[in-house]
């Protein structure tokens, strides 16, 4: 969580606490087995050369492309952390309950402006969220499409079923497109933080631009992903190239 250094992949041990149990990650982040498979295959071809951090960065790009989204050039040469920070993961990953001003601040703290924040939020055109992260919005907020709320409530009751998941983009959940923004304009944002981007505030115009111009969204998203992949990477002799992404060498 210090940067783009694969710290999130490290498992907890008796003497080490990783980031997998951080509130934003626990029960939510998944696909570690996919990274393990990629790492095994890469190691068999060229051992000790490709870091887990680079694998994550490339896998993110390739996933977006596979689902119909834009491509971008992933800079390589990151090295893997030997540490992780549960506290930083808990404090720095933006919560789904944040209001617009807090979202802007959270991203600004990492060097991203409002437009880049809205572009990166567009990753919610794919993926899913747990009931516990959007229950309050479903049952207590008014800036939500009523038929949309009713349909999602069927999988997220007022109590229990915290880990039931719903797509962040219910219209085209496995296609990387600009429907996420179209949904925000008609109050079909799943998370409170999603709908905040189109709620009469300073980012409405950006949402409108992306909802009507897919190419602009794709370009801005790709550029923001390159920037995010450049967040405090470990290079040179810093860090290491892990043999197993789940543990330090």
């Amino acid at each position: 969580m210090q940067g783009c250094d694969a710290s999130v992949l490290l498992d907890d041990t008796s003497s080490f606490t990783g980031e997998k149990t951080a509130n934003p990650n626990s029960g939510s982040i998944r696909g570690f087995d996919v990274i393990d498979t990629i790492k095994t295959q890469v190691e068999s071809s060229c051992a000790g050369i490709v870091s887990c951090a680079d694998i994550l960065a490339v896998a993110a790009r390739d996933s977006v492309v596979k689902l119909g989204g834009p491509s971008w050039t992933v800079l390589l040469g990151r090295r893997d952390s030997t540490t992780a920070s549960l506290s930083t993961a808990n404090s720095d990953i933006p919560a789904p309950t944040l209001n617009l001003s807090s979202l802007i601040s959270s991203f600004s703290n990492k060097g991203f402006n409002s437009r880049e924040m809205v572009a990166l939020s567009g990753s919610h055109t794919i993926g899913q969220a747990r009931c516990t992260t959007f229950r309050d919005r479903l049952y207590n907020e008014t800036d939500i499409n009523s038929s949309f709320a009713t349909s999602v409530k069927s999988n997220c009751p007022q109590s229990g079923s915290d880990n039931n998941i719903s797509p962040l983009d219910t219209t085209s959940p496995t296609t990387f497109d600009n429907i996420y923004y179209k949904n925000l304009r008609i109050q079909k944002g799943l998370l409170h933080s999603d709908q905040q981007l189109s709620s009469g505030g300073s980012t409405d115009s950006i949402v409108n631009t992306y909802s009507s111009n897919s190419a602009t969204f794709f370009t801005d998203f790709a550029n923001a992903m390159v920037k995010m992949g450049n967040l405090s990477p470990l290079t040179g002799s810093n860090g290491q190239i892990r043999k197993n992404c789940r543990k330090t060498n």
Side-chain angles (χ1 to χ4, degrees):
M1 193 56 212
Q2 307 302 317
C4 197
D5 60 9
S7 58
V8 71
L9 301 179
L10 293 171
D11 283 339
D12 286 5
T13 68
S14 57
S15 59
F16 174 86
T17 303
E19 297 166 9
K20 290 184 177 180
T21 56
N23 291 329
N25 295 337
S26 182
S28 178
I29 192 168
R30 58 199 69 191
F32 295 111
D33 54 321
V34 177
I35 300 300
D36 291 338
T37 301
I38 295 170
K39 180 63 171 173
T40 299
Q41 294 185 17
V42 170
E43 284 298 300
S44 67
S45 298
C46 53
I49 302 296
V50 183
S51 69
C52 301
D54 275 353
I55 288 173
L56 273 180
V58 173
R61 189 269 315 274
D62 291 354
S63 301
V64 169
V65 171
K66 188 90 171 164
L67 296 176
S71 186
W72 58 91
T73 301
V74 179
L75 297 175
L76 301 173
R78 298 170 192 78
R79 288 165 65 86
D80 298 322
S81 70
T82 54
T83 60
S85 175
L86 181 71
S87 60
T88 307
N90 275 323
S91 64
D92 286 15
I93 297 175
T97 51
L98 292 187
N99 290 329
L100 181 59
S101 59
S102 297
L103 287 168
I104 291 172
S105 297
S106 180
F107 278 79
S108 175
N109 289 339
K110 300 294 181 185
F112 295 96
N113 62 33
S114 294
R115 188 179 180 98
E116 291 165 331
M117 182 268 288
V118 175
L120 289 171
S121 298
S123 63
H124 290 184
T125 177
I126 55 176
Q128 304 185 86
R130 294 183 300 148
C131 169
T132 185
T133 63
F134 56 82
R135 176 184 285 121
D136 192 56
R137 169 157 166 75
L138 283 186
Y139 292 95
N140 297 319
E141 295 186 5
T142 54
D143 61 339
I144 187 168
N145 178 286
S146 57
S147 59
F148 167 71
T150 300
S151 67
V152 179
K153 282 176 180 176
S154 64
N155 196 40
C156 183
Q158 278 191 282
S159 62
S161 302
D162 280 5
N163 290 321
N164 282 7
I165 52 178
S166 292
L168 288 154
D169 169 2
T170 52
T171 309
S172 55
T174 57
T175 304
F176 196 98
D177 52 28
N178 67 337
I179 302 293
Y180 166 79
Y181 300 105
K182 294 178 186 287
N183 285 340
L184 294 185
R185 295 188 68 181
I186 53 175
Q187 301 191 320
K188 290 186 177 181
L190 184 66
L191 305 178
H192 174 80
S193 55
D194 288 326
Q195 196 57 57
Q196 280 289 293
L197 304 181
S198 183
S199 57
S202 60
T203 52
D204 281 25
S205 60
I206 309 168
V207 169
N208 295 346
T209 295
Y210 292 159
S211 72
S212 60
N213 194 322
S214 177
T216 301
F217 162 49
F218 277 18
T219 298
D220 286 1
F221 181 81
N223 289 333
M225 285 297 289
V226 171
K227 184 171 176 177
M228 190 160 69
N230 292 341
L231 277 180
S232 310
L234 296 170
T235 57
S237 59
N238 293 317
Q240 61 183 207
I241 307 290
R242 285 184 214 141
K243 295 181 176 70
N244 176 337
C245 291
R246 293 176 178 267
K247 59 183 184 181
T248 57
N249 295 344

